[in-house]
Amino acid sequence: MGRYLARRLLIAVPSLLGISVVLFAVLAMAPGDPFGELASNPNVPPEVGAALRAKFGLDDPIALRYLRWLSAMLHGDWGFSFVSRMDVDTLILQRLPATLFIIGSSQVLALLIALPVGVFSAVRPYSIFDHIANLLAFIGFSLPPFFTGLLFILLFSIYLDWLPFVYRTDISGSGWHWYWEQFKQSAMPVAVLALLQAASWTRYVRSSVLEVSRLDYVTTARAKGLPERVVVIKHIVRNALIPVVTLVALQMPALFGGAIVTEQIFRIPGIGSLLISSILANDTPVIMAVTFVLACLVILFNLLADVLYGWLDPRIAYR
């Protein structure tokens, strides 16, 4: 296992370098100037804008700027935000907890819904429960997050006045009151992301369980007289989860993209809203850092999926 992980991490290094080159080149050649407002402002002397561009090396060749950025990243310097006037790593660390909390909670809720519903639908195919679950699943992944978010706001915030529709980071108080307020303001964004993922994962779980249920070793296990619960849990579900693990692991980085919409709707001060505001302001250091982190997450969760394969399927050996 250790040699396998070390080899995969070494393979990830050139992949990350290639991704960083492409990202940096695209952002460098993209239209827009982070100091464009200074150039159009008559109250700011032209030499001020020129001095800022020289300080941050924006007029240097792209290759030189990339090498400078790579060297700084290796030393733990993620750059300086032109808009927020602070270090990029500090800015990201300020926004990261809210995003991780919303995404992590939504994925736990999605799994708690998708696994039992998908398994029970496959164990009782074409039953009333299966038909209802399939109908709700089709509705769930057909509705985009922005529509579901607005629908939740209209229902639970405006009509019923149960939940706040603006996420706040300055909630006062402590103890149970603070946890209750956090739960109320997080309920809708977590539900929006969870329902979208749960609908998709339920279909995958059902399909995978149905496929495994038809295999010969499952028939043999039933012929031996094993209880149906043991057959389902030990022989069917564990093997059926292998393709589901691939889906969940590979969709985790994409959730940050889906969180962008959700964070904009509920005004969550997370990574998604930071990326949108940085794109609108041409804040290239922040854009580069956030997109590079997402690329690292793709490689990390691919590695995590491969490791989980070996745990779920003993036939897989790490070599």
Side-chain angles (χ1 to χ4, degrees), residues 118-126 130 134 202-215 218 222 236-237 239-241 243-244:
V119 171
F120 194 79
S121 296
V123 173
R124 301 286 189 272
Y126 310 112
D130 186 32
N134 286 332
T202 298
R203 296 291 300 167
Y204 278 99
V205 171
R206 180 184 182 276
S207 176
S208 183
V209 171
L210 281 176
E211 182 179 356
V212 174
S213 299
R214 302 186 182 99
L215 298 180
V218 176
R222 289 195 174 101
I236 297 178
V237 173
N239 292 281
L241 286 180
V244 178

Side-chain angles (χ1 to χ4, degrees), residues 248-282:
V248 173
L250 295 182
Q251 282 190 350
M252 284 299 293
L255 288 174
F256 285 87
I260 293 176
V261 178
T262 306
E263 289 181 2
Q264 289 294 105
I265 294 175
F266 296 101
R267 297 295 184 267
I268 301 174
I271 297 296
S273 58
L274 174 63
L275 181 60
I276 290 295
S277 61
S278 301
I279 292 175
L280 296 176
N282 292 315

Side-chain angles (χ1 to χ4, degrees), residues 1-77:
M1 172 69 77
R3 290 195 301 270
Y4 173 78
L5 292 176
R7 187 169 64 252
R8 286 295 302 270
L9 291 175
L10 289 176
I11 295 174
V13 172
S15 301
L16 290 175
L17 286 177
I19 292 172
S20 65
V21 169
V22 173
L23 288 175
F24 195 92
V26 170
L27 291 176
M29 294 184 293
D33 187 351
F35 298 118
E37 294 184 1
L38 294 179
S40 60
N41 191 344
N43 297 322
V44 179
E47 55 270 16
V48 174
L52 289 174
R53 294 184 64 86
K55 177 182 178 181
F56 292 102
L58 297 180
D59 294 326
D60 294 338
I62 295 178
L64 180 60
R65 291 162 56 188
Y66 171 75
L67 292 176
R68 189 185 299 120
W69 173 86
L70 181 61
S71 176
M73 284 287 291
L74 294 176
H75 288 85
D77 183 7

Side-chain angles (χ1 to χ4, degrees), residues 117-145:
V117 173
V119 171
F120 194 79
S121 296
V123 173
R124 301 286 189 272
Y126 310 112
S127 62
I128 296 179
F129 180 86
D130 186 32
H131 288 302
I132 296 175
N134 286 332
L135 176 62
L136 294 178
F138 279 119
I139 295 175
F141 63 71
S142 298
L143 297 177

Side-chain angles (χ1 to χ4, degrees), residues 64-315:
L64 180 60
R65 291 162 56 188
Y66 171 75
L67 292 176
R68 189 185 299 120
W69 173 86
L70 181 61
S71 176
M73 284 287 291
L74 294 176
H75 288 85
D77 183 7
W78 289 31
F80 185 79
S81 173
F82 301 140
V83 176
S84 301
R85 304 292 191 269
M86 60 189 306
D87 293 334
V88 174
D89 54 351
T90 303
L91 186 61
I92 291 177
L93 289 177
Q94 289 179 352
R95 301 292 193 100
L96 191 60
T99 298
L100 291 180
F101 175 74
I102 297 298
I103 291 180
S105 302
S106 66
Q107 296 320 288
V108 172
L109 180 59
L111 286 173
L112 291 177
I113 296 173
L115 290 179
V117 173
V119 171
F120 194 79
S121 296
V123 173
R124 301 286 189 272
Y126 310 112
S127 62
I128 296 179
F129 180 86
D130 186 32
H131 288 302
I132 296 175
N134 286 332
L135 176 62
L136 294 178
F138 279 119
I139 295 175
F141 63 71
S142 298
L143 297 177
F146 69 86
F147 179 81
T148 310
L150 293 177
L151 187 64
F152 277 23
I153 290 175
L154 287 174
L155 178 61
F156 295 107
S157 297
I158 296 178
Y159 291 150
L160 299 178
D161 196 21
W162 288 355
L163 303 172
F165 62 88
V166 176
Y167 193 94
R168 295 174 50 197
T169 57
D170 57 346
I171 296 179
S172 59
S174 60
W176 288 107
H177 172 74
W178 185 86
Y179 287 108
W180 175 246
E181 293 297 325
Q182 286 286 348
F183 170 79
K184 288 200 302 182
Q185 71 173 1
S186 304
M188 288 195 294
V190 168
V192 168
L193 290 175
L195 291 178
L196 178 64
Q197 295 299 320
S200 176
W201 293 350
T202 298
R203 296 291 300 167
Y204 278 99
V205 171
R206 180 184 182 276
S207 176
S208 183
V209 171
L210 281 176
E211 182 179 356
V212 174
S213 299
R214 302 186 182 99
L215 298 180
D216 293 338
Y217 72 88
V218 176
T219 304
T220 303
R222 289 195 174 101
K224 289 181 178 180
L226 293 178
E228 185 65 18
R229 182 176 63 87
V230 176
V231 173
V232 171
I233 296 176
K234 186 176 180 180
H235 295 277
I236 297 178
V237 173
R238 181 170 181 175
N239 292 281
L241 286 180
I242 295 176
V244 178
V245 166
T246 307
L247 177 71
V248 173
L250 295 182
Q251 282 190 350
M252 284 299 293
L255 288 174
F256 285 87
I260 293 176
V261 178
T262 306
E263 289 181 2
Q264 289 294 105
I265 294 175
F266 296 101
R267 297 295 184 267
I268 301 174
I271 297 296
S273 58
L274 174 63
L275 181 60
I276 290 295
S277 61
S278 301
I279 292 175
L280 296 176
N282 292 315
D283 198 354
T284 51
V286 178
I287 301 173
M288 184 66 194
V290 174
T291 51
F292 186 71
V293 168
L294 295 180
C296 293
L297 289 176
V298 173
I299 295 177
L300 174 63
F301 282 107
N302 271 282
L303 177 60
L304 181 61
D306 291 340
V307 172
L308 289 176
Y309 286 161
W311 178 72
L312 292 172
D313 192 348
R315 297 171 298 177

